[in-house]
Amino acid sequence: MDVKVFTIPGLEEEMTAFHESYNIHHIVSALDETPSPLKSKGERVCRFCGLANDASKFQNISHLIPHQLGNNRLISDFECDECNAFFGKFENDLAYSLGMTRTIYKTKGKNKVPAFKSPNELITAKINRDFGFESTEIKRKDTTVPNFLINKETGQNSISYIKNSYTPVHVYKVLLKIALSLLPAEEVKNYQVPLGYLRRGNLEKEFSEFAKIFQYQMPLDHRLLAPTAFLFERRLPANRVPKHSFALYFENFIYTFPIPFYEPDIKQNIYNGEEMIIPLCPPILTDKPQGEIVYQRRLVDLSSNELLKGEKGFIQFNADPEILKNLVAFDPVTGKVSSRELNPDEIIGIHFVSPDSEIKFPPNNNSSLE
Ligand SMILES: [Zn+2]
């Protein structure tokens, strides 16, 4: 598939280098339905453990991209119930690694937008409808902890919090599992090494270099409506790079990494011998960007098998400094707006609302607006 794509200004050379090695093989988006038809349950073969032809073990719905990332349309016919339950636990690690992202972006999981509680409930986030409109409410328990940073001069503000603990290698495995789910069926037999690694958990050493992936955080206006995954395929056998590469776009995050240990590549000895330079796809934009795009890119080491405790998460947001300077205090007990200037250190809650929301005072029940 050759598609005209753009990238962030400044990364064009990386895009060219990537494009010299890889084509887009295909793209799946959770906005689309699963390409039909799915195999009947009795004819299914599990891609991950090899279980075949046992309808009773293919009763649950399995998702190509985790349900927790807001995908309820793309489902697969090659994941048995046991593998589904096994990978489901890793998906919780992925969700924890995202901190309160899914609450802020209102990502609907199985039923509703998940609420977030940091350890000890120091910071909580949930959807609130108490004021005649829908907001994402972020509250803190203790105003002496400096986790709401409001800068009236610059208008640049942030909320910091502690994420719930997760195991990094589980996050890598669930991403790798999505990548392997995108492969055409005839290629699956060539990926026995990563498939074995996913289920059995040995080969940690062999995979430790590959469990370091690129993560981009794009500006909020570059978020996607639904998670989207890309499978890239090597252009020429002579290119000394892994056969397939992968990217997952979720909201304004992008994860990208190569799928390692393709059987013919192992036989060609590309994983032994001299170091390999693996190009990775920079962010794909469908429209030509206008002006600068401020983004973050980091190499995330997901190789650890140890529970990661106390990782910090941040929400950054800008507000007009003039508005911040003129904020007044509202007393939720008396329902009165006081003329006293708001002291940011006293803020116990922040509501994020869409710009067209109309705020009604006083609130229509006993809840408080902080
Ligand atoms: Zn299975």
Side-chain angles (χ1 to χ4, degrees), residues 195-356:
L195 287 166
Y197 162 72
L198 281 189
R199 280 300 321 249
R200 290 191 290 277
N202 53 359
L203 301 172
E204 300 290 348
K205 191 166 159 287
E206 287 81 352
F207 276 84
S208 62
E209 280 305 308
F210 289 98
K212 291 171 186 154
I213 69 167
F214 261 172
Q215 186 199 63
Y216 290 87
Q217 190 168 353
M218 301 288 283
L220 284 182
D221 53 349
H222 281 264
R223 62 184 287 210
L224 288 193
L225 286 173
T228 301
F230 290 78
L231 182 71
F232 307 103
E233 188 178 47
R234 184 170 59 201
R235 279 182 181 273
L236 301 166
N239 291 346
R240 195 170 165 271
V241 294
K243 170 84 171 173
H244 294 102
S245 185
F246 171 77
L248 176 69
Y249 287 56
F250 164 67
E251 297 289 0
N252 61 326
F253 288 91
I254 302 168
Y255 301 87
T256 185
F257 55 90
I259 312 180
F261 302 122
Y262 182 67
E263 210 76 40
D265 289 351
I266 298 173
K267 290 198 178 109
Q268 288 289 320
N269 241 348
I270 79 162
Y271 290 100
N272 289 318
E274 65 199 272
E275 206 167 288
M276 195 177 355
I277 293 166
I278 304 175
L280 286 171
C281 192
I284 293 174
L285 312 176
T286 48
D287 299 312
K288 196 170 168 54
Q290 307 295 328
E292 193 193 6
I293 296 177
V294 181
Y295 69 98
Q296 288 173 13
R297 165 161 77 178
R298 60 190 192 107
L299 183 68
V300 186
D301 186 346
L302 295 172
S303 63
S304 170
N305 209 357
E306 309 238 325
L307 193 65
L308 177 60
K309 292 180 185 166
E311 188 178 52
K312 263 194 168 180
F314 296 93
I315 303 287
Q316 268 148 345
F317 60 100
N318 295 333
D320 183 345
E322 283 312 304
I323 292 177
L324 283 181
K325 280 177 198 159
N326 294 323
L327 280 181
V328 293
F330 169 80
D331 186 330
V333 178
T334 62
K336 285 191 177 134
V337 177
S338 102
S339 56
R340 188 165 65 84
E341 200 184 324
L342 182 82
N343 175 3
D345 294 340
E346 294 176 356
I347 296 173
I348 59 166
I350 293 175
H351 290 254
F352 288 97
V353 297
S354 64
D356 52 357

Side-chain angles (χ1 to χ4, degrees), residues 22-286:
Y22 289 97
N23 278 324
I24 297 176
H25 185 282
H26 69 280
I27 306 169
V28 295
S29 160
L31 283 179
D32 303 327
E33 300 286 346
T34 305
S36 56
L38 295 177
K39 280 186 182 161
S40 76
K41 289 177 179 173
E43 290 172 357
R44 294 184 185 184
V45 178
C46 180
R47 180 170 287 202
F48 306 101
C49 70
L51 182 88
N53 308 324
D54 183 347
S56 70
K57 303 277 171 60
F58 288 91
Q59 291 302 309
N60 298 328
I61 292 175
S62 49
H63 293 83
L64 267 187
I65 295 174
H67 208 171
Q68 301 197 40
L69 297 186
N71 164 41
N72 52 23
R73 292 188 176 190
L74 290 172
I75 56 177
S76 76
D77 58 5
F78 49 72
E79 183 175 355
C80 75
D81 297 342
E82 197 198 314
C83 287
N84 192 6
F86 178 83
F87 293 122
K89 292 185 207 124
F90 293 172
E91 288 169 11
N92 290 335
D93 289 84
L94 173 65
Y96 288 152
S97 78
L98 291 166
M100 64 168 77
T101 306
R102 295 180 309 141
T103 314
I104 297 286
Y105 293 145
K106 300 183 184 170
T107 309
K108 282 209 173 75
K110 280 199 173 80
N111 303 310
K112 53 181 185 170
V113 176
F116 172 83
K117 285 180 186 166
S118 70
N120 303 324
E121 295 188 30
L122 277 178
I123 296 268
T124 55
K126 67 175 170 69
I127 300 299
N128 184 314
R129 294 187 186 83
D130 291 342
F131 305 108
F133 59 90
E134 189 176 274
S135 70
T136 303
E137 172 196 69
I138 302 177
K139 282 180 115 172
R140 61 173 167 177
K141 198 155 94 178
D142 182 353
T143 53
T144 64
V145 181
N147 38 22
F148 284 4
L149 294 177
I150 308 295
N151 190 325
K152 287 186 183 177
E153 301 306 316
T154 63
Q156 291 173 339
N157 314 297
S158 74
I159 298 170
S160 64
Y161 62 96
I162 303 294
K163 296 179 185 177
N164 290 290
S165 308
Y166 66 93
T167 305
V169 79
H170 291 173
V171 177
Y172 175 64
K173 286 188 174 182
V174 79
L175 295 171
L176 182 60
K177 184 224 161 190
I178 303 168
L180 294 169
S181 299
L182 257 60
L183 290 171
E186 66 276 10
E187 288 284 25
V188 174
K189 63 178 187 306
N190 289 316
Y191 279 101
Q192 291 310 310
V193 175
L195 287 166
Y197 162 72
L198 281 189
R199 280 300 321 249
R200 290 191 290 277
N202 53 359
L203 301 172
E204 300 290 348
K205 191 166 159 287
E206 287 81 352
F207 276 84
S208 62
E209 280 305 308
F210 289 98
K212 291 171 186 154
I213 69 167
F214 261 172
Q215 186 199 63
Y216 290 87
Q217 190 168 353
M218 301 288 283
L220 284 182
D221 53 349
H222 281 264
R223 62 184 287 210
L224 288 193
L225 286 173
T228 301
F230 290 78
L231 182 71
F232 307 103
E233 188 178 47
R234 184 170 59 201
R235 279 182 181 273
L236 301 166
N239 291 346
R240 195 170 165 271
V241 294
K243 170 84 171 173
H244 294 102
S245 185
F246 171 77
L248 176 69
Y249 287 56
F250 164 67
E251 297 289 0
N252 61 326
F253 288 91
I254 302 168
Y255 301 87
T256 185
F257 55 90
I259 312 180
F261 302 122
Y262 182 67
E263 210 76 40
D265 289 351
I266 298 173
K267 290 198 178 109
Q268 288 289 320
N269 241 348
I270 79 162
Y271 290 100
N272 289 318
E274 65 199 272
E275 206 167 288
M276 195 177 355
I277 293 166
I278 304 175
L280 286 171
C281 192
I284 293 174
L285 312 176
T286 48

